[in-house]
Amino acid sequence: QVRLVESGGGLVQEGDSLRLSCKTVGGTFARYAMGWFRQAPGKEREFVATITWGGTTLSADSVLDRFTISRDNAENMVYLQMNSVKPDDTGVYYCAARYSTLQTPLSRIANEYAYWGQGTQVTVSS
């Protein structure tokens, strides 16, 4: 019943900005913690950022001060604003959701997210 749909990926140049979007259809979005993960060719899927339904965030060290996760509960949307992108940011970016409470800790663990989108490709050229 719950479906996540990512958009906004594409081919960009090093130093550019890009915003990814994820629409949640079904479920109770306001009680989902949302996350972004990415996977580069030949690499394991890695954590990028997460946000609680109340707006608390956590980001990977590799994207600190460059990427910002945000959400709009009224529109069932989560975003990833990507600034100063690097070639190492290249990969398929996945939106994920997990049902949570006010006291649920933020998680970097992919297995703790129950719902996943199909991914959107981001390619950064140098």
Side-chain angles (χ1 to χ4, degrees):
Q1 185 174 354
V2 177
R3 184 167 63 93
L4 308 180
V5 183
E6 304 99 332
S7 62
L11 175 62
V12 295
Q13 298 181 31
E14 185 175 10
D16 282 355
S17 295
L18 192 68
R19 190 176 81 159
L20 306 184
S21 300
C22 175
K23 176 75 172 183
T24 298
V25 180
T28 307
F29 180 81
R31 290 296 180 267
Y32 289 142
M34 303 297 297
W36 287 98
F37 293 77
R38 67 187 182 187
Q39 188 166 18
K43 304 291 185 179
E44 295 183 351
R45 187 169 301 185
E46 67 172 340
F47 167 78
V48 176
T50 183
I51 184 169
T52 69
W53 57 264
T56 303
T57 63
L58 176 69
S59 299
D61 290 345
S62 60
V63 304
L64 278 175
D65 302 319
R66 297 190 300 118
F67 293 4
T68 302
I69 188 171
S70 62
R71 67 190 296 158
D72 184 342
N73 289 342
E75 299 294 333
N76 289 4
M77 297 289 292
V78 62
Y79 306 97
L80 184 68
Q81 179 65 45
M82 306 167 62
N83 296 329
S84 302
V85 295
K86 306 174 181 179
D88 285 347
D89 294 323
T90 294
V92 178
Y93 282 69
Y94 297 92
C95 178
R98 58 193 289 254
Y99 197 81
S100 62
T101 68
L102 183 62
Q103 297 181 337
T104 300
L106 290 168
S107 178
R108 301 171 179 262
I109 309 301
N111 287 343
E112 296 187 9
Y113 293 79
Y115 307 104
W116 293 82
Q118 295 301 304
T120 184
Q121 176 72 41
V122 173
T123 302
V124 183
S125 63
S126 60

